[in-house]
Amino acid sequence: MLRDEPQKLVWDQLWSREVSYHWDSLSQTIYDKIIDISGGIQGKRMVEAGSGSGKISLRLAAEEAEVTLVDYSKNALYNSRSAFYRAKVPGTFILSDIREMQLPDHQFDLTWNAGVLEHFDEDEQVTILREMIRVTKPGGTVLVITPFAECLPYRAGKEAAEQLGTWLYGTEYPIFSLKDSFERSGIALIEESSIGFLNSLDFLDFIQDSQTVKHWLTKWYHGLTKEEKCNVPGYLLVSVGVVGTVPGKAMSSLHPSSETQLSPEDKLSRAQTIISSYHAKREKSHYLSAYKEEESTYWFPLLAILDSLLVARGTKVLDIGAAYGTLLMYSVLSGAKAYGLDMIPDYWSEELEQDYGVRWNLCNIEAEEIPGKEQFDVILFTEILEHMNYNPLPVLRKIKDRLTPGGSLLISTPWKRHFAPNQYDPDLLDMPYYQPGDGFIDAEIKYYTIDEMYALAENTAFQVKSFEVYNGHLLVWFVNK
């Protein structure tokens, strides 16, 4: 249960009304600032932590940023998802309290919000900012935009609306500075300024007969020099921080060994180098000729999630469809106990198994049970789902039975909308169930939609911890609840 249900109710009611996605001057003001600090958005990974309508993220996504929207209002996310769908723009939508976002560590180039932190006291601001640090890449940017307490038109209009009972936005504390909250959170504050004076004049609409005042203030502001405008407090306070290469004191209790850990890129490179050394002995190696270069393009963001699950040495990891063993070797380098299954023995290196203690078994997961009786903390299922000949629900139930309570299943699979939007694929409900003696073909049988991935989770009692799209592949984190 959230600690601030009354405030959440305000937003659920607000977002239950019709939302306009027509571009407006306030959105332009915020968008311009995002462009200014990000130095170009194409290909950048951005998360809006407290996304509301998601209007600005929609434009960022349309201009080829990879956007994730997080909000605890179902109504807000429904509106956003519908707007993205109508615009035919990709996005990831996470229903979550931003004080504990259901997202992996260190994923985003820019973590931002606008009109959010003013609804929380300082302690909760620090909690939110620490979460924003957690999901931001080292060297990435945290951007927070809040109503500025020194902006007179905004303050006057807000006061009038509260007195008249026409204020719509719940409890809101105008912000003089977020310097203390940033410092307590461990973020290096590199800029704090205000923008949007003309946007603040809209708050005067809460005051009867204010149109003449708005007119003269607009005319006065346009007559100022650029330097004078900089000295006029705008409606919005912009607080910009950078996440250090190693998170500050705020993160040390959560990740005490982070200073000595390799980055996912470095660890992946090391794992691939080890595997390559075995394949160099072979006369022909598909791993060296092609697979090594492309394998991580399917599932690379899952590595950050995997790292977060491998903090304790001895974590048991099972890779179903392990192929050449890259993810198993990656796990071993983190101190995990690694187990692999595959139905094609030619991929595997027995020397790798012997030298690094990886246990490997030949297994067709659709026709056979998972060997042994071990319970696993993490099960990997990357680029396998699309090859399954039969309904995947029984396999997911097998997997669930071998996961520890709270254990994680990480899946990657090609997204139907990206790879074959016009291709006929059997409906999940129409897929036949495997019967002993049934045959198999080695092919990509079915591409999955986002809705079908959620249906798989629902029908097997998994919790969807996170969901994103990467290079046209669906990356899903299921938790054994």
Side-chain angles (χ1 to χ4, degrees), residues 325-437:
T326 300
L327 289 174
L328 289 175
M329 181 51 58
Y330 185 97
S331 301
V332 167
L333 294 175
S334 296
K337 292 183 178 179
Y339 304 73
L341 302 179
D342 208 294
M343 62 184 293
I344 301 176
D346 294 342
Y347 293 138
W348 192 245
S349 166
E350 292 183 359
E351 295 89 349
L352 185 70
E353 182 177 355
Q354 294 166 3
D355 293 347
Y356 288 92
V358 178
R359 288 172 55 184
W360 189 89
N361 284 283
L362 186 66
C363 177
N364 180 340
I365 189 64
E366 293 191 84
E368 303 171 87
E369 297 300 320
I370 298 173
K373 296 183 178 180
E374 289 91 347
Q375 292 290 110
F376 301 98
D377 304 297
V378 181
I379 294 181
L380 306 172
F381 202 59
T382 57
E383 304 303 298
I384 303 301
L385 189 61
E386 67 274 14
H387 292 278
M388 296 182 66
N389 284 222
Y390 302 97
N391 195 296
L393 291 175
V395 170
L396 291 178
R397 293 186 181 118
K398 290 180 190 179
I399 291 171
K400 192 172 192 298
D401 288 342
R402 298 297 292 272
L403 275 173
T404 58
S408 293
L409 170 62
L410 304 184
I411 300 174
S412 73
T413 191
W415 183 22
K416 177 174 173 54
R417 177 176 167 184
H418 180 85
F419 282 93
N422 299 318
Q423 173 181 301
Y424 170 76
D425 279 322
D427 187 270
L428 183 62
L429 295 176
D430 295 332
M431 293 185 70
Y433 286 76
Y434 171 76
Q435 299 295 330

Side-chain angles (χ1 to χ4, degrees), residues 454-467:
Y454 277 98
L456 289 177
E458 182 176 353
N459 282 279
T460 52
F462 276 106
Q463 174 191 350
V464 179
K465 183 80 169 178
S466 73
F467 199 124

